[in-house]
Protein backbone atom coordinates (compact mmCIF):
# COMPACT_ATOMS: atom_id res chain seq x y z
CA UNK A 1 0.00 0.00 0.00
CA UNK A 2 1.17 3.52 -0.64
CA UNK A 3 1.89 5.45 2.51
CA UNK A 4 -0.57 7.60 4.44
CA UNK A 5 -3.45 5.59 3.05
CA UNK A 6 -5.39 2.77 4.71
CA UNK A 7 -2.36 0.60 5.53
CA UNK A 8 -3.88 0.02 8.94
CA UNK A 9 -7.35 1.00 7.69
CA UNK A 10 -8.47 4.62 7.76
CA UNK A 11 -9.31 4.68 11.46
CA UNK A 12 -6.17 2.96 12.60
CA UNK A 13 -3.97 4.95 10.24
CA UNK A 14 -5.32 8.26 11.49
CA UNK A 15 -4.86 7.21 15.10
CA UNK A 16 -1.34 5.98 14.54
CA UNK A 17 -0.25 9.03 12.54
CA UNK A 18 -1.79 11.49 14.99
CA UNK A 19 0.15 9.88 17.82
CA UNK A 20 3.41 9.45 15.92
CA UNK A 21 6.31 11.17 17.70
CA UNK A 22 8.31 13.72 15.74
CA UNK A 23 11.26 11.98 14.15
CA UNK A 24 14.75 13.41 14.60
CA UNK A 25 15.45 15.79 11.74
CA UNK A 26 11.82 16.18 10.68
CA UNK A 27 11.90 19.93 11.36
CA UNK A 28 14.95 20.27 9.14
CA UNK A 29 13.22 18.33 6.36
CA UNK A 30 10.17 20.61 6.58
CA UNK A 31 12.50 23.57 6.15
CA UNK A 32 14.05 21.85 3.13
CA UNK A 33 10.55 21.26 1.70
CA UNK A 34 9.65 24.94 1.96
CA UNK A 35 12.99 25.91 0.46
CA UNK A 36 12.47 23.45 -2.39
CA UNK A 37 9.13 25.09 -3.31
CA UNK A 38 10.77 28.49 -3.63
CA UNK A 39 13.76 27.14 -5.53
CA UNK A 40 11.59 25.33 -8.08
CA UNK A 41 9.38 28.40 -8.58
CA UNK A 42 12.38 30.67 -9.16
CA UNK A 43 14.02 28.21 -11.55
CA UNK A 44 10.79 27.69 -13.49
CA UNK A 45 10.30 31.42 -13.89
CA UNK A 46 13.88 31.82 -15.07
CA UNK A 47 13.62 29.03 -17.63
CA UNK A 48 10.39 30.38 -19.09
CA UNK A 49 12.33 33.38 -20.20
CA UNK A 50 15.14 31.39 -21.79
CA UNK A 51 15.39 30.30 -25.38
CA UNK A 52 15.02 26.53 -25.42
CA UNK A 53 16.80 24.12 -27.65
CA UNK A 54 14.86 21.35 -29.31
CA UNK A 55 15.27 18.03 -27.53
CA UNK A 56 14.31 14.44 -28.22
CA UNK A 57 11.21 13.17 -26.37
CA UNK A 58 12.09 12.22 -22.80
CA UNK A 59 11.02 8.89 -21.35
CA UNK A 60 11.12 10.09 -17.73
CA UNK A 61 9.10 11.00 -15.87
CA UNK A 62 6.40 8.91 -17.55
CA UNK A 63 3.10 10.54 -18.52
CA UNK A 64 0.02 8.31 -18.80
CA UNK A 65 -2.15 11.07 -20.26
CA UNK A 66 -4.18 13.11 -20.76
CA UNK A 67 -1.56 15.62 -19.59
CA UNK A 68 1.34 16.02 -22.00
CA UNK A 69 4.89 17.02 -21.06
CA UNK A 70 6.59 20.04 -22.55
CA UNK A 71 7.66 18.83 -26.03
CA UNK A 72 10.56 21.29 -26.12
CA UNK A 73 12.12 21.44 -22.64
CA UNK A 74 15.29 23.27 -21.74
CA UNK A 75 18.17 21.25 -23.19
CA UNK A 76 21.89 21.79 -23.61
CA UNK A 77 24.97 19.93 -24.76
CA UNK A 78 26.80 18.10 -21.94
CA UNK A 79 29.79 16.85 -23.92
CA UNK A 80 30.66 13.21 -23.23
CA UNK A 81 27.55 12.97 -21.02
CA UNK A 82 25.22 13.54 -24.00
CA UNK A 83 22.53 16.16 -23.50
CA UNK A 84 21.32 17.70 -20.25
CA UNK A 85 17.57 18.34 -19.89
CA UNK A 86 15.63 20.25 -17.25
CA UNK A 87 11.89 19.77 -16.83
CA UNK A 88 9.42 20.27 -14.00
CA UNK A 89 5.91 20.81 -12.74
CA UNK A 90 4.33 23.55 -10.63
CA UNK A 91 0.71 22.70 -9.80
CA UNK A 92 -1.88 23.56 -7.18
CA UNK A 93 -4.67 21.36 -5.83
CA UNK A 94 -8.07 22.08 -4.33
CA UNK A 95 -9.89 19.38 -2.36
CA UNK A 96 -13.37 19.12 -0.85
CA UNK A 97 -15.05 15.96 0.40
CA UNK A 98 -17.81 14.46 2.45
CA UNK A 99 -17.03 12.22 5.42
CA UNK A 100 -13.36 13.14 5.45
CA UNK A 101 -10.95 10.98 7.42
CA UNK A 102 -8.81 12.79 10.03
CA UNK A 103 -5.15 12.38 9.19
CA UNK A 104 -1.84 13.92 10.19
CA UNK A 105 -3.58 17.32 10.22
CA UNK A 106 -7.27 16.92 11.26
CA UNK A 107 -8.10 20.18 9.44
CA UNK A 108 -7.61 18.45 6.08
CA UNK A 109 -11.13 17.03 6.38
CA UNK A 110 -12.31 20.58 5.49
CA UNK A 111 -12.05 22.13 2.00
CA UNK A 112 -8.48 23.17 1.30
CA UNK A 113 -5.97 24.41 -1.26
CA UNK A 114 -2.54 22.80 -1.37
CA UNK A 115 0.61 22.34 -3.42
CA UNK A 116 0.15 19.58 -5.96
CA UNK A 117 3.70 19.57 -7.28
CA UNK A 118 6.66 21.91 -7.02
CA UNK A 119 9.14 19.58 -8.68
CA UNK A 120 12.05 19.70 -11.07
CA UNK A 121 13.81 16.94 -13.02
CA UNK A 122 17.40 17.05 -14.23
CA UNK A 123 18.55 14.25 -16.51
CA UNK A 124 20.99 13.33 -19.25
CA UNK A 125 20.37 11.33 -22.43
CA UNK A 126 22.35 10.16 -25.44
CA UNK A 127 25.32 8.61 -23.62
CA UNK A 128 26.08 5.09 -22.32
CA UNK A 129 25.88 6.34 -18.72
CA UNK A 130 23.01 8.68 -17.85
CA UNK A 131 21.29 9.94 -14.70
CA UNK A 132 17.87 11.17 -13.60
CA UNK A 133 17.16 13.24 -10.47
CA UNK A 134 13.72 14.48 -9.42
CA UNK A 135 13.35 16.88 -6.50
CA UNK A 136 10.82 19.12 -4.83
CA UNK A 137 7.53 18.92 -2.93
CA UNK A 138 4.54 16.76 -3.87
CA UNK A 139 1.06 15.73 -2.80
CA UNK A 140 -0.09 12.12 -3.27
CA UNK A 141 -3.90 12.14 -2.97
CA UNK A 142 -5.69 8.79 -3.12
CA UNK A 143 -9.32 7.75 -2.84
CA UNK A 144 -10.78 6.41 0.37
CA UNK A 145 -8.03 7.74 2.61
CA UNK A 146 -7.10 10.86 4.56
CA UNK A 147 -5.79 13.81 2.56
CA UNK A 148 -2.28 14.78 3.68
CA UNK A 149 -0.72 18.13 2.81
CA UNK A 150 2.21 18.16 0.40
CA UNK A 151 4.77 19.34 2.94
CA UNK A 152 3.77 16.54 5.35
CA UNK A 153 3.80 13.94 2.56
CA UNK A 154 7.26 14.99 1.43
CA UNK A 155 8.56 15.08 4.99
CA UNK A 156 7.14 11.71 6.08
CA UNK A 157 7.61 9.66 2.92
CA UNK A 158 10.38 9.98 0.32
CA UNK A 159 11.87 13.36 1.15
CA UNK A 160 12.62 16.24 -1.24
CA UNK A 161 14.42 13.90 -3.70
CA UNK A 162 11.93 11.06 -4.23
CA UNK A 163 13.42 9.64 -7.46
CA UNK A 164 17.10 9.51 -8.44
CA UNK A 165 19.03 6.88 -10.37
CA UNK A 166 21.86 6.21 -12.73
CA UNK A 167 21.43 4.11 -15.87
CA UNK A 168 24.05 2.21 -17.85
CA UNK A 169 23.30 1.08 -21.42
CA UNK A 170 25.09 -2.24 -21.83
CA UNK A 171 23.82 -2.79 -25.37
CA UNK A 172 20.95 -1.62 -27.59
CA UNK A 173 18.78 -4.21 -25.80
CA UNK A 174 20.08 -4.27 -22.21
CA UNK A 175 20.42 -1.61 -19.53
CA UNK A 176 20.95 -1.49 -15.77
CA UNK A 177 19.77 1.23 -13.42
CA UNK A 178 20.19 1.73 -9.68
CA UNK A 179 18.97 4.20 -7.08
CA UNK A 180 15.55 5.47 -5.99
CA UNK A 181 13.33 3.78 -8.58
CA UNK A 182 9.65 4.11 -9.55
CA UNK A 183 7.80 0.86 -8.96
CA UNK A 184 7.15 -1.63 -11.75
CA UNK A 185 3.83 -2.58 -10.14
CA UNK A 186 0.34 -1.44 -11.08
CA UNK A 187 -1.23 0.70 -13.79
CA UNK A 188 -1.09 4.07 -12.01
CA UNK A 189 2.04 6.07 -11.31
CA UNK A 190 3.01 7.99 -8.17
CA UNK A 191 2.61 11.71 -8.93
CA UNK A 192 -0.59 13.50 -9.96
CA UNK A 193 0.68 14.86 -13.28
CA UNK A 194 1.59 11.35 -14.48
CA UNK A 195 -1.95 9.96 -14.35
CA UNK A 196 -5.35 10.18 -15.99
CA UNK A 197 -6.96 11.21 -12.69
CA UNK A 198 -5.84 13.60 -9.97
CA UNK A 199 -6.24 11.10 -7.11
CA UNK A 200 -4.96 7.54 -7.26
CA UNK A 201 -7.40 4.67 -6.85
CA UNK A 202 -8.14 1.97 -4.32
CA UNK A 203 -6.00 -0.68 -6.01
CA UNK A 204 -2.99 1.67 -6.00
CA UNK A 205 -3.23 1.66 -2.21
CA UNK A 206 -1.92 -1.92 -2.14
CA UNK A 207 1.22 -1.25 -4.19
CA UNK A 208 4.65 0.22 -3.45
CA UNK A 209 5.32 3.60 -5.04
CA UNK A 210 9.09 4.12 -4.92
CA UNK A 211 11.78 1.63 -3.92
CA UNK A 212 15.52 1.68 -3.48
CA UNK A 213 17.14 -0.95 -5.65
CA UNK A 214 18.76 -2.22 -8.83
CA UNK A 215 16.84 -2.93 -12.05
CA UNK A 216 17.81 -4.74 -15.26
CA UNK A 217 15.87 -3.89 -18.43
CA UNK A 218 15.56 -5.74 -21.73
CA UNK A 219 13.88 -4.54 -24.92
CA UNK A 220 13.57 -6.28 -28.29
CA UNK A 221 10.88 -5.24 -30.75
CA UNK A 222 7.44 -5.75 -29.18
CA UNK A 223 8.87 -7.30 -25.99
CA UNK A 224 9.97 -5.35 -22.93
CA UNK A 225 11.03 -6.87 -19.62
CA UNK A 226 12.43 -5.60 -16.33
CA UNK A 227 13.58 -7.33 -13.14
CA UNK A 228 14.41 -5.47 -9.94
CA UNK A 229 15.83 -6.35 -6.53
CA UNK A 230 14.65 -3.65 -4.14
CA UNK A 231 13.39 -2.73 -0.68
CA UNK A 232 9.67 -3.01 -1.49
CA UNK A 233 7.74 -0.41 0.48
CA UNK A 234 10.82 1.71 1.17
CA UNK A 235 11.83 -0.48 4.12
CA UNK A 236 15.60 -0.32 3.70
CA UNK A 237 15.70 -4.15 3.59
CA UNK A 238 16.55 -5.37 0.09
CA UNK A 239 14.30 -8.42 0.23
CA UNK A 240 11.91 -7.83 -2.68
CA UNK A 241 12.02 -8.99 -6.29
CA UNK A 242 9.79 -7.32 -8.90
CA UNK A 243 9.36 -8.41 -12.50
CA UNK A 244 7.48 -7.06 -15.52
CA UNK A 245 7.00 -8.42 -19.03
CA UNK A 246 5.02 -6.59 -21.71
CA UNK A 247 4.19 -7.62 -25.25
CA UNK A 248 2.83 -5.27 -27.94
CA UNK A 249 0.57 -7.70 -29.78
CA UNK A 250 -0.52 -5.04 -32.28
CA UNK A 251 0.27 -1.34 -32.77
CA UNK A 252 -2.75 -0.52 -30.62
CA UNK A 253 -2.74 -3.23 -27.91
CA UNK A 254 -0.26 -4.29 -25.25
CA UNK A 255 -0.49 -6.96 -22.54
CA UNK A 256 1.61 -6.59 -19.38
CA UNK A 257 2.24 -9.16 -16.64
CA UNK A 258 3.68 -8.10 -13.28
CA UNK A 259 4.77 -10.17 -10.29
CA UNK A 260 6.49 -8.95 -7.12
CA UNK A 261 7.00 -9.98 -3.53
CA UNK A 262 9.39 -10.33 -0.62
CA UNK A 263 11.66 -13.37 -0.33
CA UNK A 264 12.42 -12.70 3.36
CA UNK A 265 10.13 -11.31 6.06
CA UNK A 266 10.75 -7.86 7.50
CA UNK A 267 9.45 -6.37 10.72
CA UNK A 268 10.06 -2.81 9.54
CA UNK A 269 7.06 -0.49 9.68
CA UNK A 270 6.54 3.24 9.19
CA UNK A 271 4.68 5.92 7.25
CA UNK A 272 6.04 4.64 3.93
CA UNK A 273 6.29 1.01 5.06
CA UNK A 274 2.99 -0.63 6.10
CA UNK A 275 3.91 -3.89 7.82
CA UNK A 276 1.39 -6.19 6.12
CA UNK A 277 1.85 -4.90 2.57
CA UNK A 278 5.63 -4.89 2.92
CA UNK A 279 5.39 -8.63 3.55
CA UNK A 280 3.06 -9.34 0.62
CA UNK A 281 3.16 -10.66 -2.93
CA UNK A 282 1.45 -8.75 -5.76
CA UNK A 283 0.35 -9.85 -9.23
CA UNK A 284 -1.05 -7.72 -12.09
CA UNK A 285 -2.49 -8.43 -15.52
CA UNK A 286 -2.77 -5.16 -17.46
CA UNK A 287 -4.16 -4.66 -20.96
CA UNK A 288 -3.69 -1.36 -22.80
CA UNK A 289 -5.61 -0.41 -25.94
CA UNK A 290 -4.96 2.84 -27.81
CA UNK A 291 -6.89 3.84 -30.92
CA UNK A 292 -6.53 7.48 -31.90
CA UNK A 293 -8.19 9.62 -29.22
CA UNK A 294 -9.34 6.60 -27.16
CA UNK A 295 -7.30 4.79 -24.50
CA UNK A 296 -8.66 1.86 -22.50
CA UNK A 297 -6.71 0.12 -19.75
CA UNK A 298 -8.43 -2.67 -17.80
CA UNK A 299 -6.37 -4.53 -15.22
CA UNK A 300 -6.61 -7.15 -12.49
CA UNK A 301 -4.67 -7.28 -9.25
CA UNK A 302 -4.18 -9.96 -6.58
CA UNK A 303 -2.22 -9.56 -3.35
CA UNK A 304 -1.52 -12.01 -0.54
CA UNK A 305 0.06 -11.62 2.89
CA UNK A 306 1.40 -14.61 4.83
CA UNK A 307 0.97 -14.86 8.59
CA UNK A 308 4.10 -14.52 10.70
CA UNK A 309 3.54 -13.91 14.40
CA UNK A 310 7.25 -13.27 14.93
CA UNK A 311 6.93 -9.92 13.10
CA UNK A 312 3.37 -9.10 14.20
CA UNK A 313 1.24 -10.55 11.38
CA UNK A 314 -1.10 -12.96 13.16
CA UNK A 315 -3.34 -13.91 10.24
CA UNK A 316 -2.94 -14.35 6.48
CA UNK A 317 -5.00 -12.09 4.22
CA UNK A 318 -5.63 -11.43 0.52
CA UNK A 319 -7.09 -8.82 -1.79
CA UNK A 320 -8.48 -9.19 -5.28
CA UNK A 321 -9.44 -6.22 -7.42
CA UNK A 322 -10.13 -5.01 -10.90
CA UNK A 323 -10.21 -1.58 -12.53
CA UNK A 324 -10.86 0.11 -15.85
CA UNK A 325 -9.01 3.32 -16.72
CA UNK A 326 -10.19 5.22 -19.80
CA UNK A 327 -9.63 8.54 -21.51
CA UNK A 328 -10.90 10.19 -24.66
CA UNK A 329 -9.39 13.25 -26.36
CA UNK A 330 -12.24 15.41 -27.60
CA UNK A 331 -9.82 17.69 -29.42
CA UNK A 332 -6.25 18.93 -29.06
CA UNK A 333 -7.04 20.79 -25.83
CA UNK A 334 -9.98 19.01 -24.17
CA UNK A 335 -10.15 15.43 -22.90
CA UNK A 336 -12.06 13.41 -20.35
CA UNK A 337 -10.79 10.51 -18.25
CA UNK A 338 -12.53 8.04 -15.99
CA UNK A 339 -11.88 5.17 -13.63
CA UNK A 340 -14.08 2.41 -12.23
CA UNK A 341 -12.69 -0.09 -9.73
CA UNK A 342 -13.62 -2.75 -7.19
CA UNK A 343 -11.52 -4.43 -4.50
CA UNK A 344 -12.31 -7.07 -1.88
CA UNK A 345 -10.24 -8.48 0.96
CA UNK A 346 -10.47 -11.92 2.54
CA UNK A 347 -8.95 -13.59 5.59
CA UNK A 348 -7.24 -11.60 8.26
CA UNK A 349 -9.84 -11.98 11.01
CA UNK A 350 -9.13 -13.50 14.41
CA UNK A 351 -12.54 -14.89 15.29
CA UNK A 352 -12.72 -15.31 19.07
CA UNK A 353 -8.96 -15.61 19.61
CA UNK A 354 -7.98 -13.21 22.36
CA UNK A 355 -4.23 -13.10 21.68
CA UNK A 356 -4.60 -12.16 18.02
CA UNK A 357 -4.46 -8.91 16.05
CA UNK A 358 -6.45 -8.94 12.78
CA UNK A 359 -4.59 -8.32 9.52
CA UNK A 360 -6.26 -5.38 7.80
CA UNK A 361 -5.58 -4.56 4.14
CA UNK A 362 -8.59 -2.38 3.37
CA UNK A 363 -11.40 -1.29 5.72
CA UNK A 364 -11.09 -4.13 8.20
CA UNK A 365 -10.86 -7.88 7.55
CA UNK A 366 -13.11 -9.19 4.75
CA UNK A 367 -14.06 -5.65 3.67
CA UNK A 368 -15.04 -4.59 0.15
CA UNK A 369 -15.09 -1.23 -1.65
CA UNK A 370 -15.57 0.33 -5.07
CA UNK A 371 -15.17 3.73 -6.66
CA UNK A 372 -16.08 5.80 -9.72
CA UNK A 373 -14.07 8.81 -10.92
CA UNK A 374 -14.41 11.28 -13.79
CA UNK A 375 -11.76 13.88 -14.70
CA UNK A 376 -12.28 16.45 -17.49
CA UNK A 377 -9.00 18.13 -18.51
CA UNK A 378 -7.98 21.20 -20.48
CA UNK A 379 -4.38 21.76 -21.63
CA UNK A 380 -2.96 24.45 -23.84
CA UNK A 381 0.78 24.25 -24.37
CA UNK A 382 2.48 23.85 -21.03
CA UNK A 383 -0.53 25.13 -19.04
CA UNK A 384 -3.38 22.91 -17.85
CA UNK A 385 -6.43 22.79 -15.60
CA UNK A 386 -8.62 19.85 -14.65
CA UNK A 387 -11.45 19.02 -12.26
CA UNK A 388 -12.41 15.71 -10.72
CA UNK A 389 -15.47 14.17 -9.12
CA UNK A 390 -15.26 10.78 -7.41
CA UNK A 391 -17.52 8.52 -5.35
CA UNK A 392 -16.17 5.79 -3.06
CA UNK A 393 -18.40 3.20 -1.37
CA UNK A 394 -17.48 0.62 1.26
CA UNK A 395 -19.82 -2.34 0.77
CA UNK A 396 -18.56 -4.27 3.78
CA UNK A 397 -16.71 -2.57 6.63
CA UNK A 398 -15.43 -3.49 10.09
CA UNK A 399 -16.68 -1.22 12.85
CA UNK A 400 -14.27 1.65 13.40
CA UNK A 401 -12.65 1.42 9.94
CA UNK A 402 -15.03 3.55 7.86
CA UNK A 403 -15.06 7.17 6.68
CA UNK A 404 -15.83 10.29 8.66
CA UNK A 405 -14.57 11.71 11.94
CA UNK A 406 -16.05 8.75 13.83
CA UNK A 407 -14.96 6.21 11.20
CA UNK A 408 -18.54 4.95 10.83
CA UNK A 409 -19.55 6.17 7.34
CA UNK A 410 -19.57 4.07 4.17
CA UNK A 411 -19.67 6.74 1.44
CA UNK A 412 -17.35 9.52 0.38
CA UNK A 413 -17.84 12.08 -2.40
CA UNK A 414 -14.73 14.05 -3.32
CA UNK A 415 -14.31 17.03 -5.62
CA UNK A 416 -10.82 18.10 -6.70
CA UNK A 417 -9.21 20.73 -8.89
CA UNK A 418 -5.66 20.86 -10.22
CA UNK A 419 -4.00 23.49 -12.38
CA UNK A 420 -0.48 24.51 -13.23
CA UNK A 421 2.40 24.49 -15.63
CA UNK A 422 4.48 21.60 -17.03
CA UNK A 423 7.74 23.28 -18.02
Amino acid sequence: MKPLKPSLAPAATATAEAGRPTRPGSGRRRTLCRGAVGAVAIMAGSMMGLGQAAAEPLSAPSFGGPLRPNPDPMSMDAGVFGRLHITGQITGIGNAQTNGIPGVDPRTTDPLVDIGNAQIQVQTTGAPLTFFVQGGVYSLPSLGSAYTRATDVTDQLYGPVPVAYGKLELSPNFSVQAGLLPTLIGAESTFTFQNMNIARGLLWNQEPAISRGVQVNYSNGPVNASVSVNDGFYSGDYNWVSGLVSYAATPSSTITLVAAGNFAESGKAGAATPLAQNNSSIFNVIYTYVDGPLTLQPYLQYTTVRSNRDIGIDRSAETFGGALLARYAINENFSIAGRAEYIASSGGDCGVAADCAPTNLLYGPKSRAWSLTVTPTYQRGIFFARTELSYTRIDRVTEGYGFGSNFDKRDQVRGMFEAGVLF
Side-chain angles (χ1 to χ4, degrees):
M1 173 178 305
K2 300 330 186 273
L4 301 181
K5 295 185 289 230
S7 57
L8 304 174
T13 300
T15 303
E17 293 297 342
R20 185 186 302 277
T22 301
R23 300 194 314 278
S26 63
R28 178 175 178 271
R29 288 183 68 178
R30 288 191 184 94
T31 302
L32 289 173
C33 291
R34 295 188 183 100
V37 175
V40 171
I42 292 170
M43 185 171 290
S46 299
M47 289 193 300
M48 286 179 191
L50 293 176
Q52 297 180 345
E56 66 271 23
L58 301 176
S59 60
S62 63
F63 279 70
L67 297 181
R68 303 179 301 276
N70 182 0
D72 192 22
M74 182 179 179
S75 177
M76 64 191 72
D77 182 50
V80 296
F81 298 103
R83 294 195 66 81
L84 178 71
H85 312 274
I86 301 176
T87 58
Q89 305 79 32
I90 297 180
T91 74
I93 279 181
N95 183 71
Q97 59 195 342
T98 63
N99 300 324
I101 303 169
V104 177
D105 180 355
R107 295 172 297 178
T108 57
T109 58
D110 299 325
L112 59 83
V113 175
D114 192 19
I115 299 167
N117 299 274
Q119 299 200 74
I120 192 165
Q121 296 89 32
V122 180
Q123 62 184 300
T124 57
T125 61
L129 179 62
T130 59
F131 71 84
F132 176 91
V133 178
Q134 178 171 324
V137 180
Y138 44 89
S139 174
L140 304 180
S142 64
L143 297 186
S145 58
Y147 185 90
T148 305
R149 288 190 177 274
T151 50
D152 290 325
V153 169
T154 306
D155 173 56
Q156 295 195 21
L157 303 188
Y158 311 112
V161 183
V163 182
Y165 56 84
K167 185 176 182 180
L168 177 63
E169 297 285 347
L170 301 175
S171 74
N173 302 109
F174 282 98
S175 66
V176 179
Q177 58 193 90
L180 303 170
L181 303 173
T183 186
L184 296 174
I185 302 166
E188 294 183 281
S189 298
T190 301
F191 303 102
T192 59
F193 63 88
Q194 296 180 286
N195 294 282
M196 297 186 191
N197 309 108
I198 301 172
R200 306 292 71 71
L202 299 172
L203 273 65
W204 185 80
N205 285 341
Q206 303 296 323
E207 308 157 4
I210 295 169
S211 304
R212 308 174 183 95
V214 178
Q215 181 174 307
V216 178
N217 308 300
Y218 171 78
S219 178
N220 188 2
V223 177
N224 290 277
S226 296
V227 177
S228 172
V229 177
N230 57 72
D231 69 344
F233 287 78
Y234 216 69
S235 68
D237 294 331
Y238 295 87
N239 60 356
W240 270 65
V241 174
S242 306
L244 174 152
V245 177
S246 67
Y247 176 71
T250 70
S252 60
S253 61
T254 301
I255 183 76
T256 303
L257 304 177
V258 181
N262 66 324
F263 54 82
E265 283 75 16
S266 172
K268 297 284 184 69
T273 314
L275 177 65
Q277 280 83 359
N278 192 49
N279 288 275
S280 69
S281 297
I282 306 175
F283 305 91
N284 294 133
V285 179
I286 306 169
Y287 176 74
T288 305
Y289 176 80
V290 180
D291 185 9
L294 176 66
T295 298
L296 297 174
Q297 191 173 56
Y299 74 104
L300 300 174
Q301 179 169 284
Y302 170 75
T303 75
T304 179
V305 179
R306 300 171 296 279
S307 64
N308 185 336
R309 303 200 72 169
D310 291 339
I311 61 173
I313 302 177
D314 292 343
R315 293 290 187 267
S316 299
E318 302 174 323
T319 70
F320 181 80
L324 172 63
L325 306 175
R327 62 183 173 90
Y328 183 80
I330 299 171
N331 56 38
E332 182 180 354
N333 303 117
F334 286 100
S335 64
I336 188 165
R339 176 181 56 221
E341 58 181 346
Y342 173 85
I343 185 170
S345 65
S346 60
D349 62 319
C350 293
V352 297
D355 61 342
C356 171
T359 300
N360 173 43
L361 300 178
L362 197 58
Y363 298 102
K366 299 182 179 180
S367 55
R368 299 193 300 251
W370 57 272
S371 75
L372 296 172
T373 305
V374 61
T375 311
T377 299
Y378 174 82
Q379 182 173 359
R380 188 176 184 88
I382 62 174
F383 301 96
F384 79 93
R386 56 182 177 171
T387 60
E388 182 164 292
L389 181 65
S390 65
Y391 175 77
T392 304
R393 168 75 180 180
I394 308 173
D395 277 346
R396 179 183 292 175
V397 62
T398 298
E399 184 178 357
Y401 288 85
F403 300 141
S405 57
N406 296 319
F407 310 106
D408 58 353
K409 306 299 183 183
R410 293 193 175 197
D411 299 88
Q412 185 177 86
V413 177
R414 179 179 292 185
M416 301 192 75
F417 176 80
E418 183 181 29
V421 58
L422 310 172
F423 61 86

